[in-house]
């Protein structure tokens, strides 16, 4: 997914194998050493790092957040006793089969210790997440309110679709080219009931929003009234969010 017409003739597996054999990336450059995102992307692409959980009555669900990514990198690249020395090369001890069980026990201890630290600092992390999300989305709402109604590549999708030794700007260009056909593909799986509910909610919220906007044009003092501007903002967010669940064919 996300290939343009010039790349459609070559399969991703064949392309990656060719890059691995020649030691080059898509730009033809030979990387001096792999970076942390490239190594993490390779592990996710090969399902080495667990990024999926089983939800009862739902099935398998992808769970890969920035916090989980940070914990993975701390275990594998940054923290003491990390398998990859200086974030680039695998430590010599991990290449010895005789130290397999010893290294497994050490890794289990480090995982348990990191889980305990996450549990202890959970209130602080939770408070930070709330404050960061509030100010981050408030800034987005102020400058780009339409972004809430658009689909975005998930963190797991970005890592899973990344080619081996692919540079960041090359990945960004590929994902940008793949955005339009990916949105059209996702619209094929919209549930009819969800679409009908979203249409009705968007119609009601849009009607109230239109009335409030017309009244504010006729009488400018209405904006100074209590909670009128807040209602206009909330209704605009609701209408934008509902359009995510309405395919383009239904919107026309």
């Amino acid at each position: 997914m996300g290939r343009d017409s010039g790349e459609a003739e070559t399969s991703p597996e064949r392309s990656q194998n060719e890059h691995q054999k020649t030691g080059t990336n898509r730009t033809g450059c030979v990387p001096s050493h792999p970076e942390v995102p490239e190594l993490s992307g390779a592990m996710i692409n090969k399902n080495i790092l667990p990024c999926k959980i089983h939800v009862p009555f739902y099935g398998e669900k992808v769970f890969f957040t920035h916090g989980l990514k940070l914990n993975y990198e701390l275990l594998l690249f940054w923290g003491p006793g990390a398998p990859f020395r200086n974030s680039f090369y695998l430590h010599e001890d991990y290449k010895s089969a005789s130290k397999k069980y010893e290294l497994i026990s050490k890794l289990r201890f480090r995982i348990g210790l990191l889980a305990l630290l996450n549990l202890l600092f959970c209130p602080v992390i939770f408070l930070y997440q709330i404050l960061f999300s509030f100010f981050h989305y408030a800034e987005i709402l102020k400058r780009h309110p339409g972004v809430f109604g658009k689909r975005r590549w998930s963190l797991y999708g970005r890592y899973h679709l990344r080619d081996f030794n692919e540079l960041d700007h090359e990945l960004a260009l590929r994902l940008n080219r793949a955005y339009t056909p990916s949105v059209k593909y996702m619209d094929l799986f919209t549930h009819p009931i969800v679409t009908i509910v979203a249409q009705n909610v968007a119609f009601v919220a849009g009607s109230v929003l239109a009335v409030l906007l017309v009244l504010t044009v006729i009488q400018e003092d209405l904006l100074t009234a209590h909670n009128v501007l807040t209602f206009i903002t909330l209704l605009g967010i609701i209408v934008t969010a509902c359009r995510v669940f309405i395919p383009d064919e239904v919107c026309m």
Side-chain angles (χ1 to χ4, degrees), residues 30-95:
V30 179
S32 58
H33 47 66
E35 301 290 344
V36 172
E38 297 172 0
L39 291 172
S40 302
M43 293 181 182
I44 293 174
N45 189 278
K46 296 300 181 180
N47 295 323
I48 297 176
L49 294 179
C51 299
K52 298 180 180 179
I53 58 176
H54 182 76
V55 181
F57 307 106
Y58 181 82
E60 199 174 58
K61 177 69 174 178
V62 174
F63 179 80
F64 186 62
T65 62
H66 288 279
L68 183 60
K69 168 179 166 290
L70 179 62
N71 280 274
Y72 278 152
E73 292 180 353
L74 186 61
L75 283 171
L76 300 175
F77 304 104
W78 300 342
F84 289 91
R85 185 189 308 173
N86 298 328
S87 302
F88 306 128
Y89 304 104
L90 184 64
H91 198 279
E92 294 296 332
D93 292 342
Y94 286 86
K95 301 178 183 179

Side-chain angles (χ1 to χ4, degrees), residues 189-241:
F189 301 95
T190 304
H191 199 281
I193 298 179
V194 177
T195 302
I196 294 174
V197 173
Q199 281 182 296
N200 285 274
V201 173
F203 175 77
V204 174
S207 301
V208 178
L209 178 61
V211 172
L212 289 178
L213 291 177
V214 171
L215 291 177
T216 54
V217 172
I218 297 175
Q219 188 176 0
E220 296 181 357
D221 296 338
L222 188 63
L223 285 174
T224 61
H226 185 64
N227 292 334
V228 173
L229 187 60
T230 303
F231 281 128
I232 293 177
T233 304
L234 291 177
L235 290 172
I237 295 175
I238 292 174
V239 172
T240 305

Side-chain angles (χ1 to χ4, degrees), residues 103-134:
L103 294 174
I104 289 176
S105 61
K106 289 183 179 180
L107 185 60
R108 284 177 176 174
F109 174 76
R110 293 176 59 237
I111 292 175
L113 181 60
L114 186 60
L116 180 61
L117 291 176
N118 277 270
L119 182 62
L120 292 177
F121 288 98
C122 184
V124 180
I125 297 174
F126 181 69
L127 180 61
Y128 168 78
Q129 290 286 349
I130 292 178
L131 294 177
F132 176 80
S133 299
F134 175 78

